């Protein structure tokens, strides 16, 4: 940076700077560990698994965990995308219907490809490409609506949410789209313990996503824009271009989730993905992100999405009316946000 | 108004005959001003006098309607703030602040991160350790001490955040630094530290444009004062020609420009 480091007038270091954040090195006090949202989430998840296992010992099994993870995969994918969007200060409501439309479009593509006598693996691969590209298109539309048409993200993605859901119904006339590669269904079955191929892919996406969020320029700009857009502009960051990348990423991951959903259903359904945007937002918020932007962790999102899908499966296995699911999720969201606010007011120093 | 034209040649950064309107509102009219290397000029004026608009023109955030911008005597047409930063001109906007959830060093390097070596660097992975060390060295050499921390700068006090923002600007600037109300909301002691940083920047050979409402600070640290009123420059004279009373009078228009 500065070429010269001449010790100029070198005034005294400000006296105000002496006492801060001494906790950055050395063993961390217990209060700080407990104040870490991710630690709390791990505990919550462990307690949930324990409680559900006590209620119904069958819950603690490779089979149930395998099912939970298959349910988790598409939610985790859109939650990973949503993490970037929310940290950038936006919101992407379109991810649920992007799952729908990308699954439907990919289903039509695979129907045609398989019908033409192409082998299953090639057909599935091409279906995945089509699904991801469909998601990219939705992301680009979102970005244009936000950057060029100047809509706030909520409205822009509400528009594409409606358009995607409607278009899916128009294309499918309301019914499932089958006729794809017959062996597609096998891909969502666990191959190693509770792990199925989609789960392995999602785990890899989570790791790579986390690395880009926390260790690379892409994530740094995402935090900067969400935290203080004006300072990001003043720092010479191409904010609009970055916003475009973030929504395209979210769209591409929703497209991937659409393909995963196709694999579990073995067809493109106009009702898959319905309302999943709220699951993604819930996962991100439970994971510690703030909808005001600039705050959030990939690890939190992954734990948040795991907690969500565990609650759903756990209630079913426990023979509790699964409609309680939404109530439990609501409580989790309220608790997570309240915890965050309390911690925030506890830590923040007055100027 | 003639004295500034006499030494025009030596200006490192200047604008000439700049006009800027927003719709029917004339924000700047025929504004000419320049700063020399190693000179601190104070830019003062009442609210709505056009200071912020002039800062935006100087920092490349806005383009003037007419008039020219010269850096080292060469005419420039800024198309983005990024271009201006690249040219060695740093701006600290009023209340622009920092990215609250990034660390001190991430803020100092924001927009100019150092990537790690190799293919990961090409993917945008960052050399955080290296940036940490360099950032704190540079801040220290700018006369600013902030604690090393892996927490966001929102954990710092307001004065510390402002110190980081100024230190960031000073350590990156190669030619000119524009400080818009850097002592706002600061206590007396912190404000004094900011003034020390301005002196350090001057000693480093930077041209400093210092905008403030706090006239004692302007009188204390500047070499020359430029007074804006209703979008026009009404006085441009060495600081020695002003005292608190005459400066205030010129700003408010109670004393007519000489």
């Amino acid at each position: 940076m500065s070429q010269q480091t001449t010790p100029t007038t070198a005034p005294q270091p400000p006296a105000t700077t002496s006492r801060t954040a001494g906790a950055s090195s050395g063993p961390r006090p217990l209060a700080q560990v407990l104040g870490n949202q991710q630690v709390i989430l791990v505990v919550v998840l462990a307690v949930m698994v324990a409680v559900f296992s006590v209620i119904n010992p069958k819950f603690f099994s490779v089979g149930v965990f395998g099912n939970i993870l298959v349910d988790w995969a598409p939610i985790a994918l859109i939650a990973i995308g949503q993490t970037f969007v929310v940290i950038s200060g936006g919101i992407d409501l379109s991810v649920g219907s992007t799952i729908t439309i990308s699954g439907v479009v990919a289903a039509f593509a695979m129907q045609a490809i398989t019908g033409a006598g192409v082998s299953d693996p090639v057909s599935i691969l091409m279906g995945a490409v089509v699904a991801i590209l469909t998601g990219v298109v939705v992301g680009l539309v979102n970005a244009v609506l936000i950057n060029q048409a100047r809509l706030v993200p909520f409205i822009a993605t509400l528009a594409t949410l409606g358009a995607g859901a409607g278009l899916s119904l128009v294309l499918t006339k309301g019914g499932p789209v089958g006729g794809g590669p017959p062996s597609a269904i096998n891909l969502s079955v666990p191959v190693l313990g509770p792990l199925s191929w989609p789960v392995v892919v999602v785990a890899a996406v989570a790791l790579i996503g986390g690395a880009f969020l926390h260790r690379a320029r892409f994530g740094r700009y995402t935090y900067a824009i969400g935290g203080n857009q004006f300072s990001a502009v003043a720092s010479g960051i191409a904010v609009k271009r970055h916003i475009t990348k973030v929504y395209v990423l979210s769209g591409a991951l929703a497209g991937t989730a659409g393909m995963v959903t196709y694999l579990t259903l073995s067809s493109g359904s106009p009702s898959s993905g319905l309302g999943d945007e709220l699951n993604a937002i819930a996962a991100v918020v439970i994971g510690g992100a703030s909808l005001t932007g600039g705050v959030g962790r990939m690890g939190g999102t992954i734990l948040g999405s795991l907690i969500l899908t565990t609650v759903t499966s756990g209630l079913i296995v426990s023979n509790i009316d699964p409609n309680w699911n939404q109530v439990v999720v609501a409580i989790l969201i309220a608790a997570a946000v309240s915890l965050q606010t309390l911690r925030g007011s506890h830590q923040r120093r007055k100027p | 108004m003639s004295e500034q034209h006499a030494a025009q040649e030596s200006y490192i950064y200047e604008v000439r005959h700049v006009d800027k309107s927003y719709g029917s509102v004339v924000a700047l009219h025929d504004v000419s001003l320049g700063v020399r290397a190693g000179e601190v000029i104070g830019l003062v004026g009442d609210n709505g006098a056009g200071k912020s608009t002039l800062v935006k023109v100087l920092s490349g955030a806005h383009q003037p309607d007419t008039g020219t911008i010269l850096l080292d005597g060469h005419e420039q047409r800024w198309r983005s703030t990024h271009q201006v930063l690249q040219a060695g001109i740093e701006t600290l906007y009023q209340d622009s602040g920092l990215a609250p959830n990034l660390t001190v060093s991430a803020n100092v390097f924001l927009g100019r991160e150092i990537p790690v070596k190799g293919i990961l660097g090409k993917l945008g992975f960052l050399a955080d350790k290296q940036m940490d060390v360099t950032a704190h060295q540079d801040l220290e050499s700018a006369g600013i001490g902030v604690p090393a921390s892996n927490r966001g700068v929102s954990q710092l006090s307001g004065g510390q955040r402002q110190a980081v923002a100024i230190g960031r600007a000073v350590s990156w600037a190669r030619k000119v630094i524009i400080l818009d109300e850097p002592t706002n909301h600061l206590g007396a002691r912190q404000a004094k530290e900011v003034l020390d940083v301005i002196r350090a920047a001057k000693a480093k050979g930077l041209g400093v444009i210092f905008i403030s409402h706090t006239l004692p600070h302007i009188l204390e640290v500047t070499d020359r004062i430029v007074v804006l009123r209703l979008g026009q420059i009404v006085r441009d004279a060495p600081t020695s020609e002003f005292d608190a009373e005459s400066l205030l009078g010129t700003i408010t228009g109670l004393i007519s420009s000489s």
Side-chain angles (χ1 to χ4, degrees), chain A residues 13 35 80 85 122 155 179 181 194 206 211 255 277 281 305 342:
Chain A
I80 290 165
V85 173
V122 175
I155 301 297
E277 63 279 351
I281 294 165
S305 54
L342 289 174

Side-chain angles (χ1 to χ4, degrees), chain A residues 68-89:
Chain A
I68 290 176
L69 288 177
V70 168
D71 289 344
W72 167 76
I75 303 296
L77 283 169
I78 53 175
I80 290 165
Q82 195 76 242
T83 307
F84 284 93
V85 173
V86 165
I87 291 173
S88 81

Side-chain angles (χ1 to χ4, degrees), chain B residues 110-212:
Chain B
L110 190 58
R112 290 175 272 219
E113 291 81 6
I114 300 175
V116 293
K117 292 195 172 63
I119 190 144
L120 283 177
K122 293 248 181 347
L123 288 170
F125 284 86
L126 302 174
D128 279 323
K129 285 239 169 69
Q130 189 190 344
M131 289 194 282
D132 268 347
V133 172
T134 318
H136 284 94
Q137 279 172 357
D138 282 24
L139 287 178
E140 226 158 273
S141 79
I144 290 156
V146 276
S149 164
N150 53 10
R151 300 260 197 114
V153 291
S154 61
Q155 306 289 318
L156 300 176
S157 72
Q160 287 175 322
R161 283 201 297 272
Q162 185 69 346
V164 171
I166 295 170
R168 168 179 197 257
V170 172
S171 52
W172 281 107
R174 298 191 314 277
K175 294 189 168 154
V176 176
I177 174 165
I178 302 161
L179 302 166
D180 192 358
E181 298 280 8
T183 56
N184 243 8
H185 316 305
L186 294 188
R189 184 190 193 114
Q190 295 162 332
K192 187 190 163 297
E193 284 157 12
V194 169
L195 298 186
D196 285 339
V197 172
I198 291 176
R199 291 193 188 92
K202 172 186 161 83
K204 202 175 146 184
L206 296 173
V208 181
I209 301 173
F210 175 35
I211 295 104
S212 182

Side-chain angles (χ1 to χ4, degrees), chain A residues 65-329:
Chain A
F65 290 164
N67 282 337
I68 290 176
L69 288 177
V70 168
D71 289 344
W72 167 76
I75 303 296
L77 283 169
I78 53 175
I80 290 165
Q82 195 76 242
T83 307
F84 284 93
V85 173
V86 165
I87 291 173
S88 81
I91 194 158
D92 189 351
L93 297 175
S94 70
V95 288
S97 71
T98 303
I99 289 184
T100 319
I101 189 137
S102 57
V104 164
V105 172
F108 278 119
M110 285 183 280
Q111 194 180 55
I113 295 166
T114 304
V118 177
S119 72
D120 278 12
V122 175
S123 181
I124 290 168
L125 208 62
M126 292 181 77
V129 171
V130 170
I132 292 169
L133 286 179
T134 308
V136 167
V137 170
V138 178
L140 280 174
V141 172
N142 284 334
V144 168
L145 289 177
I146 292 163
N147 285 334
Q148 269 71 43
R150 302 293 188 105
L151 299 183
V152 295
F154 188 95
I155 301 297
T157 59
L158 185 63
T160 45
L161 161 74
L167 208 55
S168 303
L169 284 168
V170 171
L171 288 174
T172 60
K173 299 188 176 65
V177 182
S183 62
I185 190 82
N186 300 336
L187 282 178
S188 64
V189 175
V191 283
L192 179 71
L195 299 178
S196 51
W197 281 111
V199 172
V200 174
V201 170
V202 174
V205 169
L207 282 174
I208 296 169
F212 274 92
L213 181 62
H214 299 300
R215 294 268 170 270
R217 190 179 283 126
F218 188 83
R220 187 131 317 162
Y221 288 2
T222 308
Y223 279 102
I225 291 169
N228 182 347
Q229 186 155 345
F230 189 48
S231 90
V233 173
S235 302
I237 295 173
V239 170
K240 283 187 176 181
R241 201 192 315 159
H242 193 82
I243 298 268
T244 301
K245 288 180 192 168
V246 167
Y247 282 91
V248 166
L249 174 68
S250 178
L253 290 175
T256 313
M259 186 63 193
V260 169
T261 308
Y262 174 93
L263 293 177
T264 57
L265 301 173
S266 200
S267 66
S269 158
S271 60
S272 67
L274 213 66
D276 276 350
E277 63 279 351
L278 296 181
N279 285 327
I281 294 165
V284 169
V285 169
I286 291 172
S290 161
L291 291 180
T292 54
V295 183
R297 306 285 306 175
M298 189 57 75
T301 292
I302 297 306
L303 289 166
S305 54
L306 274 172
I307 287 173
L308 280 184
T309 35
T310 304
V311 170
T312 313
S313 302
L315 292 178
I316 294 169
V317 172
S318 311
N319 232 343
I320 299 169
D321 183 348
N323 290 319
W324 279 102
N325 187 22
Q326 291 182 33
V327 179
V328 176
V329 170

